[in-house]
Amino acid sequence: MPESRRRDRRRAQGELEAQVLSALCSADGPVTAGWVRDRVGEDLAYTTVMTILARLHAKNAVARRREGRSFVWTPVADEAGLAALKMRKVLDAGPDREAVLASFLTALPEDDERVLRDLLRRADEETAG
């Protein structure tokens, strides 16, 4: 792919993390960064894959274990879990947690609000039961 075309194809924030995490979730067990690179493809540099894995590790979305001279990686969170980690990070960074939650709730589409209410009701039932 020509250099100018490669630069034009910018990934959305978190897209590469999601692709790497998806590859890890499809593995039968712990895998190397090279294995991940082969699955994600797109002519990624090995160092890019390592950087993404390190970021996911810092977010507690993946675990690593030394095996020989390198690491093997396993997912701790799936893509939904990674999204939840990001949401929690934004919530934790807000100056007024209640205001952030209230704003989030009022912006939800009706169907999402219904799902959230059902999830909260089930969580209450599990806690009480």
Side-chain angles (χ1 to χ4, degrees), residues 2-106:
E3 184 67 28
S4 62
R5 186 144 182 213
R6 198 175 306 134
R7 264 187 265 120
D8 290 343
R9 168 65 174 105
R10 298 267 181 199
R11 288 181 185 86
Q13 185 175 3
E15 181 181 341
L16 188 52
E17 285 183 357
Q19 290 173 344
V20 167
L21 192 57
S22 179
L24 283 174
C25 288
S26 73
D28 291 333
V31 295
T32 64
W35 185 94
V36 173
R37 180 178 174 229
D38 291 345
R39 297 313 178 279
V40 175
E42 296 187 40
D43 299 324
L44 289 175
Y46 179 82
T47 54
T48 301
V49 174
M50 286 300 298
T51 298
I52 296 302
L53 286 167
R55 287 181 185 163
L56 289 169
H57 186 258
K59 295 176 182 181
N60 298 316
V62 301
R64 68 182 181 191
R65 182 183 79 237
R66 183 156 302 275
E67 195 168 282
R69 293 176 51 202
S70 61
F71 289 107
V72 290
W73 304 84
T74 54
V76 173
D78 57 9
E79 290 180 59
L82 181 59
L85 287 168
K86 289 178 183 178
M87 291 167 64
R88 194 166 37 247
K89 184 177 179 180
V90 169
L91 182 61
D92 290 345
D96 183 346
R97 193 176 193 90
E98 186 174 337
V100 172
L101 283 169
S103 182
F104 176 75
L105 286 173
T106 59

